[in-house]
Amino acid sequence: MKKELKGRNQKGQKGLKSAFYFFLPAFHFILLPTFFVFLFPLKAFTILKHVDTAFDSVSKQETSYYSNALHRNVLLEVVLPADYHQSTRSFKVLYMNDGQDLKPLHMTEVLEKMYRTTQVEPFVLVAIHCGDRIQEYGTAAQADYAHRGAKAGAYTTFVLNELMPYIQGNFRVLTGAKNTAFCGFSLGGLSAFDIVWHHPDLFGKVGVFSGSFWWRRRAYENHYDDENDRIMHRLVRLSTDKAPYPHSSLLTTDYFPKFWLQTSTEDEKDDRNNNGVIDSIEDTLDLIAELEKKGFRWGRDIRYLEVKGGHHNQATWSAIMPDFLIWAFGQ
């Protein structure tokens, strides 16, 4: 009986050894590679996910600044690039009207995505909360026919003499037109354009989202005339400043700004002359025509975008924001 069991054990051990040696090559050449095929992508995904989430977010600082020019406190939101506090370098700067709209514009999300994909160089964003918007935004030279924009001159004084020195004294920003841009939306866009147009030594670029270039000296029912009554068009036309031509040795962004202008096909429904083109688009295109008469050129000095189906709201402006930022601060 013991011999029989011993024989069976020996045969069983031989069988196990045979099975082991039989499956060993299969394990090396089939099962093990298959294990890594499934494991490696999972591990790689884990690593990539870690790298993606390791990106440092932009930081935002709020400060309240009293303006003697406006006789009020001005709330500022300053959005700093992720590496601002870890470096000693200085950054270009973008001043933005209607800074209270940062959240509906999804600005921090837009900036973080663009920094992560290195589409733009890091810059400091200064978002200026508006006060008496209908009075402080406009053209500094004159109010419109309804006396709107009466404080636009004071707002320009605030930006130039109070805000810019404050930012330059408290944040590491580069100075000079080639390092400084301004942007705004609707009436804030008109304000930004007016400030940049009249101070090209300080600002090299301006972005206007659905600008209120209808701003006029007379009401439509009071013998209004496109040629003479649109205030910003007239200011550009009467200006003695001219842009240099492409081969001029004077060509420099320090003194001749560049313009980014956007409209949407659903900005409004008004068509005062019934020509099939809504007023916001026509007013913007006519302003570009005035710029061309001064020597500015499409592609070189002017970028125009017309958003099909876009509306006069933050959702449309947020969606088109990357195009402006790449134009202004592209790597």
Side-chain angles (χ1 to χ4, degrees), residues 52-86:
D52 184 64
T53 57
F55 176 82
D56 291 330
S57 300
V58 299
S59 61
K60 186 166 60 175
Q61 296 184 13
E62 288 191 6
T63 181
S64 182
Y65 177 87
Y66 183 80
S67 167
N68 290 311
L70 298 174
H71 305 292
R72 69 174 179 89
N73 284 316
V74 181
L75 181 61
L76 305 173
E77 290 186 69
V78 182
V79 183
L80 303 171
D83 63 339
Y84 181 87
H85 296 292
Q86 287 74 43

mmCIF file of all heavy atoms in Angstrom, residues 52-86:
data_model
loop_
_atom_site.group_PDB
_atom_site.id
_atom_site.type_symbol
_atom_site.label_atom_id
_atom_site.label_comp_id
_atom_site.label_asym_id
_atom_site.label_seq_id
_atom_site.Cartn_x
_atom_site.Cartn_y
_atom_site.Cartn_z
ATOM 1 N N ASP A 52 -1.040 66.649 -15.162
ATOM 2 C CA ASP A 52 -2.054 67.634 -15.514
ATOM 3 C C ASP A 52 -2.562 68.363 -14.275
ATOM 4 O O ASP A 52 -2.685 69.577 -14.259
ATOM 5 C CB ASP A 52 -3.210 66.940 -16.242
ATOM 6 C CG ASP A 52 -4.258 67.932 -16.710
ATOM 7 O OD1 ASP A 52 -3.931 68.777 -17.551
ATOM 8 O OD2 ASP A 52 -5.394 67.849 -16.228
ATOM 9 N N THR A 53 -2.866 67.617 -13.238
ATOM 10 C CA THR A 53 -3.416 68.231 -12.041
ATOM 11 C C THR A 53 -2.346 68.943 -11.219
ATOM 12 O O THR A 53 -2.666 69.698 -10.322
ATOM 13 C CB THR A 53 -4.110 67.174 -11.158
ATOM 14 O OG1 THR A 53 -3.172 66.139 -10.842
ATOM 15 C CG2 THR A 53 -5.302 66.573 -11.872
ATOM 16 N N ALA A 54 -1.076 68.713 -11.558
ATOM 17 C CA ALA A 54 -0.007 69.367 -10.814
ATOM 18 C C ALA A 54 0.204 70.808 -11.268
ATOM 19 O O ALA A 54 0.948 71.552 -10.667
ATOM 20 C CB ALA A 54 1.300 68.587 -10.968
ATOM 21 N N PHE A 55 -0.471 71.219 -12.348
ATOM 22 C CA PHE A 55 -0.327 72.575 -12.860
ATOM 23 C C PHE A 55 -0.818 73.583 -11.819
ATOM 24 O O PHE A 55 -1.911 73.451 -11.275
ATOM 25 C CB PHE A 55 -1.131 72.739 -14.152
ATOM 26 C CG PHE A 55 -1.119 74.140 -14.698
ATOM 27 C CD1 PHE A 55 -0.050 74.585 -15.461
ATOM 28 C CD2 PHE A 55 -2.170 75.008 -14.444
ATOM 29 C CE1 PHE A 55 -0.031 75.875 -15.970
ATOM 30 C CE2 PHE A 55 -2.156 76.298 -14.942
ATOM 31 C CZ PHE A 55 -1.088 76.716 -15.705
ATOM 32 N N ASP A 56 0.018 74.574 -11.517
ATOM 33 C CA ASP A 56 -0.357 75.584 -10.536
ATOM 34 C C ASP A 56 -1.381 76.543 -11.137
ATOM 35 O O ASP A 56 -1.234 77.005 -12.273
ATOM 36 C CB ASP A 56 0.873 76.372 -10.091
ATOM 37 C CG ASP A 56 1.809 75.521 -9.261
ATOM 38 O OD1 ASP A 56 1.314 74.606 -8.584
ATOM 39 O OD2 ASP A 56 3.030 75.779 -9.304
ATOM 40 N N SER A 57 -2.410 76.853 -10.376
ATOM 41 C CA SER A 57 -3.456 77.750 -10.845
ATOM 42 C C SER A 57 -2.975 79.191 -10.807
ATOM 43 O O SER A 57 -2.048 79.538 -10.073
ATOM 44 C CB SER A 57 -4.700 77.600 -9.976
ATOM 45 O OG SER A 57 -5.192 76.286 -10.013
ATOM 46 N N VAL A 58 -3.636 80.031 -11.599
ATOM 47 C CA VAL A 58 -3.375 81.459 -11.499
ATOM 48 C C VAL A 58 -3.887 81.921 -10.142
ATOM 49 O O VAL A 58 -4.726 81.269 -9.519
ATOM 50 C CB VAL A 58 -4.088 82.237 -12.629
ATOM 51 C CG1 VAL A 58 -3.588 81.797 -13.990
ATOM 52 C CG2 VAL A 58 -5.606 82.084 -12.537
ATOM 53 N N SER A 59 -3.373 83.034 -9.675
ATOM 54 C CA SER A 59 -3.833 83.573 -8.400
ATOM 55 C C SER A 59 -4.489 84.928 -8.627
ATOM 56 O O SER A 59 -4.150 85.647 -9.577
ATOM 57 C CB SER A 59 -2.670 83.712 -7.414
ATOM 58 O OG SER A 59 -1.686 84.602 -7.925
ATOM 59 N N LYS A 60 -5.437 85.254 -7.777
ATOM 60 C CA LYS A 60 -6.189 86.491 -7.951
ATOM 61 C C LYS A 60 -6.154 87.299 -6.664
ATOM 62 O O LYS A 60 -6.368 86.768 -5.575
ATOM 63 C CB LYS A 60 -7.633 86.168 -8.338
ATOM 64 C CG LYS A 60 -8.475 87.383 -8.688
ATOM 65 C CD LYS A 60 -9.773 86.994 -9.373
ATOM 66 C CE LYS A 60 -10.628 86.104 -8.504
ATOM 67 N NZ LYS A 60 -11.935 85.820 -9.125
ATOM 68 N N GLN A 61 -5.872 88.582 -6.801
ATOM 69 C CA GLN A 61 -5.839 89.480 -5.654
ATOM 70 C C GLN A 61 -6.860 90.594 -5.857
ATOM 71 O O GLN A 61 -6.950 91.168 -6.940
ATOM 72 C CB GLN A 61 -4.447 90.082 -5.477
ATOM 73 C CG GLN A 61 -3.352 89.082 -5.164
ATOM 74 C CD GLN A 61 -2.006 89.760 -4.914
ATOM 75 O OE1 GLN A 61 -1.922 90.968 -4.745
ATOM 76 N NE2 GLN A 61 -0.956 88.965 -4.887
ATOM 77 N N GLU A 62 -7.623 90.879 -4.829
ATOM 78 C CA GLU A 62 -8.567 91.990 -4.873
ATOM 79 C C GLU A 62 -8.028 93.148 -4.044
ATOM 80 O O GLU A 62 -7.463 92.946 -2.967
ATOM 81 C CB GLU A 62 -9.938 91.567 -4.333
ATOM 82 C CG GLU A 62 -10.707 90.650 -5.261
ATOM 83 C CD GLU A 62 -12.149 90.465 -4.822
ATOM 84 O OE1 GLU A 62 -12.564 91.155 -3.852
ATOM 85 O OE2 GLU A 62 -12.849 89.643 -5.424
ATOM 86 N N THR A 63 -8.200 94.342 -4.559
ATOM 87 C CA THR A 63 -7.774 95.515 -3.813
ATOM 88 C C THR A 63 -8.710 96.671 -4.128
ATOM 89 O O THR A 63 -9.245 96.754 -5.248
ATOM 90 C CB THR A 63 -6.313 95.905 -4.148
ATOM 91 O OG1 THR A 63 -5.940 97.044 -3.386
ATOM 92 C CG2 THR A 63 -6.160 96.212 -5.619
ATOM 93 N N SER A 64 -8.930 97.521 -3.179
ATOM 94 C CA SER A 64 -9.771 98.699 -3.371
ATOM 95 C C SER A 64 -8.867 99.925 -3.385
ATOM 96 O O SER A 64 -8.054 100.110 -2.477
ATOM 97 C CB SER A 64 -10.809 98.804 -2.251
ATOM 98 O OG SER A 64 -11.656 99.910 -2.467
ATOM 99 N N TYR A 65 -9.022 100.730 -4.413
ATOM 100 C CA TYR A 65 -8.125 101.861 -4.612
ATOM 101 C C TYR A 65 -8.961 103.135 -4.732
ATOM 102 O O TYR A 65 -9.890 103.201 -5.557
ATOM 103 C CB TYR A 65 -7.302 101.621 -5.880
ATOM 104 C CG TYR A 65 -6.371 102.740 -6.267
ATOM 105 C CD1 TYR A 65 -5.093 102.812 -5.740
ATOM 106 C CD2 TYR A 65 -6.775 103.720 -7.172
ATOM 107 C CE1 TYR A 65 -4.234 103.837 -6.095
ATOM 108 C CE2 TYR A 65 -5.922 104.749 -7.535
ATOM 109 C CZ TYR A 65 -4.653 104.800 -6.989
ATOM 110 O OH TYR A 65 -3.801 105.818 -7.341
ATOM 111 N N TYR A 66 -8.669 104.136 -3.910
ATOM 112 C CA TYR A 66 -9.445 105.381 -3.984
ATOM 113 C C TYR A 66 -8.907 106.267 -5.104
ATOM 114 O O TYR A 66 -7.710 106.557 -5.178
ATOM 115 C CB TYR A 66 -9.417 106.151 -2.671
ATOM 116 C CG TYR A 66 -10.283 107.392 -2.727
ATOM 117 C CD1 TYR A 66 -11.667 107.288 -2.569
ATOM 118 C CD2 TYR A 66 -9.725 108.641 -2.997
ATOM 119 C CE1 TYR A 66 -12.479 108.410 -2.660
ATOM 120 C CE2 TYR A 66 -10.529 109.772 -3.086
ATOM 121 C CZ TYR A 66 -11.902 109.648 -2.931
ATOM 122 O OH TYR A 66 -12.700 110.764 -3.042
ATOM 123 N N SER A 67 -9.824 106.701 -5.968
ATOM 124 C CA SER A 67 -9.449 107.562 -7.078
ATOM 125 C C SER A 67 -9.861 108.991 -6.800
ATOM 126 O O SER A 67 -11.046 109.283 -6.590
ATOM 127 C CB SER A 67 -10.125 107.082 -8.366
ATOM 128 O OG SER A 67 -10.019 108.065 -9.386
ATOM 129 N N ASN A 68 -8.898 109.901 -6.828
ATOM 130 C CA ASN A 68 -9.206 111.327 -6.690
ATOM 131 C C ASN A 68 -9.896 111.861 -7.934
ATOM 132 O O ASN A 68 -10.719 112.770 -7.854
ATOM 133 C CB ASN A 68 -7.916 112.119 -6.434
ATOM 134 C CG ASN A 68 -7.337 111.840 -5.060
ATOM 135 O OD1 ASN A 68 -8.044 111.888 -4.061
ATOM 136 N ND2 ASN A 68 -6.047 111.531 -5.008
ATOM 137 N N ALA A 69 -9.571 111.272 -9.081
ATOM 138 C CA ALA A 69 -10.178 111.726 -10.332
ATOM 139 C C ALA A 69 -11.659 111.361 -10.399
ATOM 140 O O ALA A 69 -12.483 112.148 -10.882
ATOM 141 C CB ALA A 69 -9.437 111.116 -11.524
ATOM 142 N N LEU A 70 -12.014 110.184 -9.886
ATOM 143 C CA LEU A 70 -13.398 109.714 -9.948
ATOM 144 C C LEU A 70 -14.169 109.954 -8.650
ATOM 145 O O LEU A 70 -15.392 109.755 -8.616
ATOM 146 C CB LEU A 70 -13.419 108.220 -10.284
ATOM 147 C CG LEU A 70 -12.818 107.825 -11.636
ATOM 148 C CD1 LEU A 70 -12.779 106.311 -11.782
ATOM 149 C CD2 LEU A 70 -13.610 108.456 -12.782
ATOM 150 N N HIS A 71 -13.451 110.315 -7.595
ATOM 151 C CA HIS A 71 -14.067 110.559 -6.289
ATOM 152 C C HIS A 71 -14.818 109.321 -5.785
ATOM 153 O O HIS A 71 -15.935 109.433 -5.257
ATOM 154 C CB HIS A 71 -15.029 111.766 -6.360
ATOM 155 C CG HIS A 71 -14.389 113.010 -6.886
ATOM 156 N ND1 HIS A 71 -13.418 113.698 -6.192
ATOM 157 C CD2 HIS A 71 -14.570 113.669 -8.067
ATOM 158 C CE1 HIS A 71 -13.032 114.751 -6.905
ATOM 159 N NE2 HIS A 71 -13.711 114.749 -8.047
ATOM 160 N N ARG A 72 -14.202 108.192 -5.925
ATOM 161 C CA ARG A 72 -14.799 106.948 -5.434
ATOM 162 C C ARG A 72 -13.722 105.888 -5.277
ATOM 163 O O ARG A 72 -12.608 106.017 -5.821
ATOM 164 C CB ARG A 72 -15.888 106.435 -6.375
ATOM 165 C CG ARG A 72 -15.369 105.916 -7.729
ATOM 166 C CD ARG A 72 -16.488 105.294 -8.539
ATOM 167 N NE ARG A 72 -16.041 104.815 -9.850
ATOM 168 C CZ ARG A 72 -15.569 103.582 -10.072
ATOM 169 N NH1 ARG A 72 -15.468 102.713 -9.072
ATOM 170 N NH2 ARG A 72 -15.206 103.224 -11.300
ATOM 171 N N ASN A 73 -14.068 104.848 -4.542
ATOM 172 C CA ASN A 73 -13.196 103.682 -4.456
ATOM 173 C C ASN A 73 -13.371 102.833 -5.707
ATOM 174 O O ASN A 73 -14.509 102.599 -6.149
ATOM 175 C CB ASN A 73 -13.526 102.838 -3.220
ATOM 176 C CG ASN A 73 -13.003 103.470 -1.949
ATOM 177 O OD1 ASN A 73 -11.866 103.947 -1.908
ATOM 178 N ND2 ASN A 73 -13.816 103.484 -0.902
ATOM 179 N N VAL A 74 -12.269 102.385 -6.255
ATOM 180 C CA VAL A 74 -12.299 101.527 -7.438
ATOM 181 C C VAL A 74 -11.822 100.138 -7.027
ATOM 182 O O VAL A 74 -10.719 99.977 -6.502
ATOM 183 C CB VAL A 74 -11.396 102.085 -8.561
ATOM 184 C CG1 VAL A 74 -11.473 101.183 -9.782
ATOM 185 C CG2 VAL A 74 -11.805 103.510 -8.916
ATOM 186 N N LEU A 75 -12.661 99.152 -7.254
ATOM 187 C CA LEU A 75 -12.292 97.778 -6.938
ATOM 188 C C LEU A 75 -11.519 97.169 -8.105
ATOM 189 O O LEU A 75 -11.955 97.260 -9.263
ATOM 190 C CB LEU A 75 -13.539 96.933 -6.656
ATOM 191 C CG LEU A 75 -13.287 95.466 -6.276
ATOM 192 C CD1 LEU A 75 -12.465 95.376 -4.990
ATOM 193 C CD2 LEU A 75 -14.611 94.724 -6.114
ATOM 194 N N LEU A 76 -10.376 96.586 -7.798
ATOM 195 C CA LEU A 76 -9.542 95.957 -8.805
ATOM 196 C C LEU A 76 -9.396 94.474 -8.493
ATOM 197 O O LEU A 76 -9.290 94.087 -7.334
ATOM 198 C CB LEU A 76 -8.143 96.585 -8.842
ATOM 199 C CG LEU A 76 -8.022 98.093 -9.025
ATOM 200 C CD1 LEU A 76 -6.577 98.511 -8.862
ATOM 201 C CD2 LEU A 76 -8.562 98.515 -10.381
ATOM 202 N N GLU A 77 -9.404 93.648 -9.522
ATOM 203 C CA GLU A 77 -9.029 92.245 -9.396
ATOM 204 C C GLU A 77 -7.805 92.033 -10.275
ATOM 205 O O GLU A 77 -7.874 92.234 -11.491
ATOM 206 C CB GLU A 77 -10.170 91.319 -9.819
ATOM 207 C CG GLU A 77 -11.342 91.315 -8.865
ATOM 208 C CD GLU A 77 -12.390 90.282 -9.241
ATOM 209 O OE1 GLU A 77 -12.103 89.070 -9.111
ATOM 210 O OE2 GLU A 77 -13.488 90.692 -9.672
ATOM 211 N N VAL A 78 -6.704 91.676 -9.647
ATOM 212 C CA VAL A 78 -5.451 91.478 -10.377
ATOM 213 C C VAL A 78 -5.188 89.980 -10.457
ATOM 214 O O VAL A 78 -5.018 89.315 -9.431
ATOM 215 C CB VAL A 78 -4.279 92.199 -9.686
ATOM 216 C CG1 VAL A 78 -3.000 92.021 -10.487
ATOM 217 C CG2 VAL A 78 -4.608 93.685 -9.500
ATOM 218 N N VAL A 79 -5.185 89.461 -11.675
ATOM 219 C CA VAL A 79 -4.970 88.029 -11.895
ATOM 220 C C VAL A 79 -3.512 87.816 -12.288
ATOM 221 O O VAL A 79 -3.054 88.339 -13.316
ATOM 222 C CB VAL A 79 -5.905 87.475 -12.990
ATOM 223 C CG1 VAL A 79 -5.709 85.966 -13.142
ATOM 224 C CG2 VAL A 79 -7.367 87.793 -12.657
ATOM 225 N N LEU A 80 -2.802 87.063 -11.453
ATOM 226 C CA LEU A 80 -1.369 86.850 -11.654
ATOM 227 C C LEU A 80 -1.109 85.474 -12.233
ATOM 228 O O LEU A 80 -1.793 84.501 -11.884
ATOM 229 C CB LEU A 80 -0.636 86.981 -10.312
ATOM 230 C CG LEU A 80 -0.837 88.301 -9.570
ATOM 231 C CD1 LEU A 80 -0.249 88.215 -8.171
ATOM 232 C CD2 LEU A 80 -0.214 89.450 -10.344
ATOM 233 N N PRO A 81 -0.124 85.348 -13.122
ATOM 234 C CA PRO A 81 0.209 84.017 -13.659
ATOM 235 C C PRO A 81 0.718 83.093 -12.572
ATOM 236 O O PRO A 81 1.158 83.539 -11.502
ATOM 237 C CB PRO A 81 1.296 84.324 -14.699
ATOM 238 C CG PRO A 81 1.855 85.651 -14.306
ATOM 239 C CD PRO A 81 0.743 86.408 -13.665
ATOM 240 N N ALA A 82 0.663 81.796 -12.836
ATOM 241 C CA ALA A 82 0.965 80.791 -11.812
ATOM 242 C C ALA A 82 2.361 80.935 -11.220
ATOM 243 O O ALA A 82 2.567 80.704 -10.032
ATOM 244 C CB ALA A 82 0.782 79.397 -12.401
ATOM 245 N N ASP A 83 3.330 81.339 -12.028
ATOM 246 C CA ASP A 83 4.709 81.395 -11.541
ATOM 247 C C ASP A 83 5.107 82.780 -11.040
ATOM 248 O O ASP A 83 6.286 83.050 -10.819
ATOM 249 C CB ASP A 83 5.669 80.950 -12.657
ATOM 250 C CG ASP A 83 5.631 81.875 -13.869
ATOM 251 O OD1 ASP A 83 4.617 82.597 -14.024
ATOM 252 O OD2 ASP A 83 6.590 81.871 -14.654
ATOM 253 N N TYR A 84 4.115 83.664 -10.845
ATOM 254 C CA TYR A 84 4.436 85.031 -10.445
ATOM 255 C C TYR A 84 5.224 85.058 -9.133
ATOM 256 O O TYR A 84 6.257 85.727 -9.023
ATOM 257 C CB TYR A 84 3.159 85.855 -10.305
ATOM 258 C CG TYR A 84 3.400 87.293 -9.908
ATOM 259 C CD1 TYR A 84 3.637 88.268 -10.870
ATOM 260 C CD2 TYR A 84 3.405 87.690 -8.569
ATOM 261 C CE1 TYR A 84 3.873 89.591 -10.516
ATOM 262 C CE2 TYR A 84 3.642 89.007 -8.202
ATOM 263 C CZ TYR A 84 3.874 89.956 -9.174
ATOM 264 O OH TYR A 84 4.110 91.261 -8.824
ATOM 265 N N HIS A 85 4.743 84.338 -8.122
ATOM 266 C CA HIS A 85 5.364 84.384 -6.802
ATOM 267 C C HIS A 85 6.633 83.527 -6.704
ATOM 268 O O HIS A 85 7.376 83.649 -5.738
ATOM 269 C CB HIS A 85 4.365 83.945 -5.737
ATOM 270 C CG HIS A 85 3.186 84.877 -5.612
ATOM 271 N ND1 HIS A 85 3.303 86.164 -5.131
ATOM 272 C CD2 HIS A 85 1.880 84.709 -5.933
ATOM 273 C CE1 HIS A 85 2.114 86.749 -5.150
ATOM 274 N NE2 HIS A 85 1.231 85.899 -5.614
ATOM 275 N N GLN A 86 6.857 82.658 -7.685
ATOM 276 C CA GLN A 86 8.048 81.809 -7.661
ATOM 277 C C GLN A 86 9.177 82.386 -8.514
ATOM 278 O O GLN A 86 10.215 81.753 -8.675
ATOM 279 C CB GLN A 86 7.710 80.396 -8.158
ATOM 280 C CG GLN A 86 6.908 79.550 -7.188
ATOM 281 C CD GLN A 86 5.464 79.971 -7.089
ATOM 282 O OE1 GLN A 86 4.849 80.250 -8.103
ATOM 283 N NE2 GLN A 86 4.913 80.002 -5.873
#
